Amino acid sequence: SNVKQELQQIIEQEGRFPSGPDLHELGFSSLAMAIPKYHGGVNAVRARLQEEGILPSEQNQLEQLVEKYIEST
């Protein structure tokens, strides 16, 4: 739950899921190291956050991108 809380704050602050280098730059090196070691890696954590509705699913992201494209044309 600590990882989830910290990632939620970072996502709100940055507007996206952070990469490993992003976490290091933001001062979350221990989080960057804990994700692959204890939580199954970045993809697994991202998938769990998508399942919980904290992050939009890939399908939702694609739909939003298409909508933005259509609006801009």
Side-chain angles (χ1 to χ4, degrees):
S1 68
N2 290 339
V3 169
K4 179 179 162 182
Q5 287 177 325
E6 288 191 27
L7 282 173
Q8 281 182 293
Q9 291 174 356
I10 295 167
I11 291 166
E12 287 175 14
Q13 176 185 334
E14 298 295 311
R16 61 183 175 77
F17 190 87
S19 67
D22 290 337
L23 290 172
H24 286 287
E25 282 183 27
L26 295 168
F28 292 94
S29 296
S30 59
L31 182 58
M33 293 179 353
I35 288 174
K37 187 171 184 177
Y38 300 109
H39 301 286
V42 173
N43 290 335
V45 171
R46 182 183 290 117
R48 276 186 245 139
L49 294 178
Q50 287 173 333
E51 289 171 5
E52 294 181 21
I54 296 167
L55 285 175
S57 69
E58 290 179 12
Q59 178 70 31
N60 287 343
Q61 290 175 4
L62 181 58
E63 288 173 2
Q64 291 172 2
L65 182 63
V66 169
E67 286 175 14
K68 285 181 184 179
Y69 176 77
I70 290 170
E71 289 173 2
S72 70
T73 58

